[in-house]
Amino acid sequence: MSEMLPGEQFPYEELFESIAESLVVMDRTGLVVLVNRRAESLLGHSRDDLVGKPFGAIVNAQPGDTQTALLATGPEHSVELVLVRADGQFFTVEVIAGQPDEERQGFIVLVLHDVTKRKDEEAALLARSHQQSLVAELGRLALTGIDLDQLMTEAVNVIVTDLEVEFGNLLELLPDGRAIFRAGVGWREDLVGGTTLELRAGTPAGQVVVDQVPILVEILSTDERFSELSVAREHGVVSSLTVPIHSPTRPLGVLAVHSARHRSFLPSDVHFVQAVANVVATTMERHRHEERLRERQLVRAEQMAAIGQVATGVAHEIRNPLTSIKGLVQVNLREADARGLPAEDLRVIENEVRRMERTLLTLLDFARPPRPDRQRLDIAVVIDRVYTLVAGRARKQGITLRFQRPAGLIWVSGDRDQLQQLLLNLVLNSMDAMPDGGTLEIELRTPRDGLVEMLVHDTGPGIAAEILPKVFETFVSSKETGIGIGLPVSRRIAEDHGGTLAAYNLPTGGACFALRMPALD
């Protein structure tokens, strides 16, 4: 093997520089003898730093191992090596090496291709596939009827293990706006399994419940959005990712992972944690539905007794007028042919019949409301009309009315009168909850996924915890003069329009009613 002497030129050096590839030439001993400008840029080293040194010195491997790997390559074979730039950054290259021969004086020409981006994309795909399998397995466990607490614990363990963080937690939202620490990893033992926490807007968890969107925090101690002291700060959390657990109608809680070291969570991390949260949300909704069914079965006997009392009252109201009619007819039957029925008796009969009709129509309207007469509506106009109707009362009570509306018109297909009745019921309920004044706000949001959302929230005391789970049931009311029909009728109107109506308490105080219905283009 010949060696290059000082001042000696590598054969075809001019052609070597003009090739649009990153090229490195080394001798049989592995010493670099020449690099082109493209290779200098790729490696982050000047040729003065490279020439005369072992190529293995810039490779994340032993020089002898590198030499063996390169000699095993050829025009039809390649090897991947991890290199180190001058700034210490690692990257991956695919190397094709020409075999040394006497014509090239024993030199080995290396062609380097940077495949770091491709390797990162392959790693991301593998990680994504693994995460999808974890979510699928969690969904399978949910379908087997696993205990809800066990599923929550498994969900937290899955995200903590996969994302390699120190902390994870699942908080379930309570009817009063607080949250219970249902499952966690890395926290004090006394926190997990039953501790109740206040969800404030100055904490990531509290803000997620309000906004219903994921929140990422890179450095908790310097993030000005979250100045409130929190359990995370107490445990030395630096970075965190918090996502909402929500059903189609209301927030259910939050799922979060936290790191004790600085970390920038990726969009793929957000999607993964949110997918796990969605599995938990579906399971929570199913368990709550099953609990509601059991509760309804337990109170069915009481409901049937109440229905019996109502039926008795209705029968009494109908029987008395029928008795009057029957008596009058019997008295006058004998003289009907000769004189006809007396005018006074006819008026009595008419009034009694009308009374029966009113009683029956009231019951029928409640049981079977009229079908909506739909037309194309700008829903903001309906909201403006409702505010006009209650403006006088709002001034007397010291209530501030606010309306957040997006730019542009939002169209729906609906019955103007029924939708006005629905929104008016919600607004009046909120005003009843603030006899000494406050703020009532309707937030109209831009349609998303084909649905328009209207949020009616106030600064009152919120819905009582014992009332909230059954607030839309008939004859349930927290007001002394209420009969519990307004909200059931409102929900029925929403459902007749293809929408939903839900109620929940906000962590910042007050109640919120969320109306969602299909939007028109």
Side-chain angles (χ1 to χ4, degrees):
M1 179 184 68
S2 59
E3 297 179 356
M4 289 187 68
L5 301 175
E8 185 178 359
Q9 189 177 32
F10 178 77
Y12 314 112
E13 184 169 348
E14 183 176 350
L15 177 63
F16 179 79
E17 283 290 351
S18 66
I19 293 176
E21 298 281 1
S22 299
L23 302 178
V24 174
V25 179
M26 70 178 190
D27 60 22
R28 287 180 178 272
T29 66
L31 296 179
V32 176
V33 296
L34 191 64
V35 295
N36 67 356
R37 285 185 294 272
R38 289 184 176 273
E40 285 184 286
S41 176
L42 174 65
L43 298 174
H45 293 269
S46 68
R47 62 187 65 192
D48 293 338
D49 294 334
L50 299 172
V51 173
K53 297 179 182 178
F55 183 71
I58 60 170
V59 178
N60 189 26
Q62 294 298 321
D65 297 337
T66 304
Q67 181 78 352
T68 301
L70 293 175
L71 290 176
T73 67
E76 298 180 357
H77 302 281
S78 62
V79 62
E80 289 184 356
L81 297 176
V82 178
L83 309 185
V84 185
R85 290 192 176 92
D87 59 3
Q89 181 181 1
F90 290 88
F91 66 107
T92 305
V93 296
E94 182 181 63
V95 183
I96 300 176
Q99 294 299 321
D101 54 35
E102 293 304 323
E103 182 180 350
R104 284 184 285 175
Q105 304 178 21
F107 297 119
I108 303 173
V109 181
L110 308 179
V111 182
L112 310 181
H113 294 140
D114 188 352
V115 295
T116 305
K117 182 178 180 180
R118 189 193 74 195
K119 299 296 291 183
D120 290 344
E121 290 174 349
E122 290 175 354
L125 286 174
L126 287 174
R128 182 64 174 165
S129 176
H130 177 65
Q131 289 176 347
Q132 288 175 342
S133 66
L134 293 175
V135 174
E137 175 60 20
L138 196 65
R140 187 194 66 81
L141 287 175
L143 292 175
T144 62
I146 185 174
D147 179 75
L148 182 57
D149 287 332
Q150 290 180 323
L151 181 74
M152 290 178 171
T153 300
E154 182 63 23
V156 174
N157 287 332
V158 163
I159 59 176
V160 166
T161 301
D162 185 80
L163 298 180
E164 297 180 346
V165 293
E166 295 85 356
F167 304 95
N169 62 279
L170 189 154
L171 306 180
E172 182 181 2
L173 189 64
L174 297 174
D176 60 5
R178 296 180 299 167
I180 185 170
F181 206 118
R182 292 294 297 271
V185 170
W187 310 96
R188 300 194 315 263
E189 292 184 1
D190 61 305
L191 282 176
V192 182
T195 300
T196 300
L197 304 174
E198 295 289 341
L199 285 186
R200 301 184 181 91
T203 63
Q207 199 62 45
V208 165
V209 170
V210 174
D211 295 338
Q212 288 297 286
V213 294
I215 287 181
L216 293 92
V217 177
E218 289 208 19
I219 304 178
L220 183 62
S221 61
T222 60
D223 197 315
E224 296 181 355
R225 296 174 298 172
F226 308 113
S227 57
E228 291 281 345
L229 293 177
S230 65
V231 175
R233 287 179 184 270
E234 296 171 9
H235 283 74
V237 167
V238 176
S239 303
S240 68
L241 162 61
T242 308
V243 304
I245 304 174
H246 56 83
S247 72
T249 58
R250 63 180 181 276
L252 302 175
V254 298
L255 181 64
V257 287
H258 313 271
S259 174
R261 302 177 301 276
H262 177 255
R263 172 169 179 168
S264 298
F265 288 98
L266 303 174
S268 58
D269 300 331
V270 179
H271 296 323
F272 171 53
V273 178
Q274 186 65 71
V276 172
N278 293 343
V279 173
V280 174
T282 301
T283 309
M284 290 174 69
E285 278 292 274
R286 190 181 71 246
H287 278 251
R288 288 187 177 186
H289 177 67
E290 292 172 352
E291 289 178 359
R292 286 195 296 268
L293 288 179
R294 287 193 293 268
E295 290 175 358
R296 288 173 182 173
Q297 290 173 352
L298 290 175
V299 301
R300 186 170 181 80
E302 296 180 4
Q303 291 177 336
M304 293 304 296
I307 291 174
Q309 293 177 355
V310 173
T312 300
V314 172
H316 180 74
E317 285 294 317
I318 295 176
R319 185 172 63 248
N320 288 342
L322 286 178
T323 300
S324 300
I325 295 171
K326 180 180 178 182
L328 290 171
V329 171
Q330 288 175 342
V331 169
N332 288 279
L333 271 178
R334 291 187 297 271
E335 303 180 30
D337 291 337
R339 297 186 302 158
L341 293 175
E344 185 64 27
D345 291 348
L346 289 176
R347 281 193 292 271
V348 172
I349 293 173
E350 181 183 18
N351 290 335
E352 294 295 271
V353 169
R354 287 182 177 179
R355 187 154 67 94
M356 284 191 297
E357 288 176 342
R358 285 196 299 270
T359 302
L360 291 175
L361 286 176
T362 300
L363 292 174
L364 290 175
D365 284 344
F366 178 74
R368 295 180 301 173
R371 296 177 64 86
D373 179 16
R374 298 195 180 191
Q375 55 183 304
R376 184 179 176 87
L377 298 173
D378 175 8
I379 192 62
V381 173
V382 179
I383 296 174
D384 286 334
R385 176 59 179 164
V386 170
Y387 269 180
T388 300
L389 294 174
V390 301
R393 176 180 169 184
R395 284 193 299 270
K396 291 181 180 179
Q397 288 186 217
I399 294 176
T400 301
L401 301 178
R402 293 178 180 171
F403 182 13
Q404 288 191 35
R405 69 178 82 194
L409 303 180
I410 296 181
W411 299 96
V412 299
S413 175
D415 185 306
R416 183 187 305 272
D417 293 336
Q418 290 191 15
L419 291 178
Q420 178 176 301
Q421 178 187 355
L422 187 163
L423 291 169
L424 184 60
N425 284 343
L426 301 182
V427 167
L428 292 177
N429 273 353
S430 292
M431 296 178 73
D432 289 340
M434 298 183 292
D436 299 322
T439 299
L440 190 155
E441 182 175 79
I442 297 181
E443 181 182 353
L444 177 61
R445 294 183 172 179
T446 302
R448 184 176 60 180
D449 299 329
L451 295 175
V452 59
E453 183 177 47
M454 287 159 276
L455 302 180
V456 181
H457 43 84
D458 57 56
T459 56
I463 305 171
E466 67 274 11
I467 295 293
L468 185 57
K470 51 187 179 180
V471 70
F472 291 107
E473 294 182 9
T474 308
F475 308 129
V476 173
S477 177
S478 60
K479 294 183 287 187
E480 294 182 1
T481 58
I483 59 174
I485 291 181
L487 289 180
V489 169
S490 296
R491 170 174 274 189
R492 188 166 54 200
I493 292 174
E495 293 172 348
D496 286 346
H497 284 76
T500 61
L501 180 62
Y504 54 90
N505 287 320
L506 296 171
T508 52
C512 180
F513 288 88
L515 171 63
R516 295 177 178 89
M517 59 183 297
L520 292 179
D521 294 336

